[in-house]
Amino acid sequence: MADDTLLLSDQLKADPRLAQAKKLILEAVADHQKTMQSVRPPRTELKQSYEAMLEKFGSLRNGSLFFPYLSSGIGNGPFVELADGSVKLDMITGIGVHGYGHSHPLLVEAAIDTAVSDTVMQGNLQQNTESYELCELLVNLANETGGAFKHCFLTTSGAMANENSLKIAFQKNHPANRVIAFSHCFAGRTLALAQVTDKAKYRVGLPDTIAVDYLPFFKHDDPQRSTEIAVSHLKYLLDRHPGKYAALWMELIQGEGGYYPGDVNFFKALIEVAKEAGVCTIADEVQTFCRTTRPYAFQHFGLDKLVDVVTIGKISQVCATLFTDEYKFQPGLISQTFTGSTMAINSALAIVNGLVKQGNFGEGGRNQTLHDYFVKGIQKVGEKYPGSIAGPHGLGGMVALTPFDGTPEVASEMAKRLFDAGLMSFMAGGDPARLRFLMPIGCVTHDHLDLACQILERVVGEMAEAATA
Ligand SMILES: Cc1ncc(COP(=O)(O)O)c(C=O)c1O
């Protein structure tokens, strides 16, 4: 008998048929994924139809895919089956999206809960309780080590979270109309963010929207001097355009720019000057969220009290802008029909709670130990083929290497060769170009990392041999 004191939705959630269906579905997925324990080449009989599909898709979307990657819809942790029958070891995970890899039971369960929910998308006039739970979780985590974030607005892309953060900063600091960012930063591809992103190619043909000035980023090989240079340039800009800067835009670890972590003293020195001038400090954590020793990289760097607005995305599935009371926006500035799909919101809750519970954070947490293990493996490959690998670089769940001479052509060639050999990576930066890995930190094991290094070793060996031939 159903308990009539419960809401209907709670009665449905407690229905034994649902529990049984969940069990059956999870068993079926597990049965079908269990043979996926390593990489596999494509099937010859699927080659032609797969290539035709890729070509048509490339034409439909006005640009071919960098990798011939179309997932068939099933995976097993870091392994994913493609529609050509191949199985890849996915160590780039959609540039940091699949934190629990592919077809993970946590996410299958979230999908089943979503399947019986009343709504596909949540947003403006259609919020369910999960949206509230997620906002609360993200704010609580952000305040765990001294932050003062009071508000969280969900959204569907990293760019939109960043766009919202810019609007918040501009409104509060009106009539300031300029932004300061770091050279080589990436912020997204809206009209405003294409202007912040320091890559001319991404704004070809676009009108100027906001005025952005750049500071050089931290240099690990010259920490003190690079900090002094950036601070003095910041002071120069603030003098040159007094009262005109609304925000200091910071990626705490440069992602697309090439996996360059910043430094606590560097950020503190800049933020001190910026705050004195009333400039809003924004941390763009769309790529770094959940990948350092703390859920937020601003916590990893001890900037809890110094960041006013933080944006997250990718691994969280739902993106968000968190901000302090000082940056509360006025009604009407930000609203969206869609702030996230119910599936994305349920997955976000499962992923973020899962990473916290299974010990991904903290000194000596999984993010750190996986990083150290992977870096050692990559170093060994570099030692075997001198001159083939510089680095590795990065932090926590973000790892990169500079291949050979670091030209974009070599990095791209290595990414493609690795893909053909079964290992997925992607390029970052430009001078030098690097190869990056965003491992699925929720489910990757040392065995997976060993396999990644074996494939890397094979491909590096082939490239080294070709270079000397
Ligand atoms: C640091 C950073 N900010 C913003 C974005 C944009 O996110 P999205 O592609 O979800 O719009 C990205 C995406 O790569 C990013 O790495």
Side-chain angles (χ1 to χ4, degrees), residues 25-38 40 43 69-90 98 100-105 108 424:
I25 292 172
L26 285 165
E27 275 172 16
V29 175
D31 270 355
H32 289 278
Q33 64 185 178
K34 69 176 174 235
T35 57
M36 241 186 278
Q37 301 294 345
S38 193
R40 231 181 263 162
R43 291 202 207 157
Y69 175 101
L70 289 172
S71 166
S72 72
I74 188 166
N76 183 16
F79 296 110
V80 56
E81 182 190 66
L82 303 193
D84 63 357
S86 64
V87 173
K88 304 291 180 194
L89 177 60
D90 186 2
H98 314 296
Y100 271 91
H102 300 265
S103 305
H104 194 281
V108 176
M424 292 185 63

Side-chain angles (χ1 to χ4, degrees), residues 95 157-160 162 186-188 251 256 284 286-287 314 319:
I95 316 193
S157 71
M160 203 59 213
N162 283 348
F186 182 87
E251 262 178 289
E256 302 305 298
D284 175 350
V286 169
Q287 193 158 155
K314 290 188 183 281
C319 305

Side-chain angles (χ1 to χ4, degrees), residues 257-274:
Y259 280 35
Y260 293 91
D263 168 83
V264 56
N265 294 325
F266 174 78
F267 291 126
K268 279 189 174 162
L270 289 173
I271 291 173
E272 193 186 319
V273 175

Side-chain angles (χ1 to χ4, degrees), residues 8-29:
L8 291 175
S9 82
D10 291 330
Q11 291 181 34
L12 172 60
K13 280 177 203 155
D15 190 311
R17 288 171 296 182
L18 206 60
Q20 199 189 357
K22 239 185 208 183
K23 190 167 162 281
L24 281 175
I25 292 172
L26 285 165
E27 275 172 16
V29 175

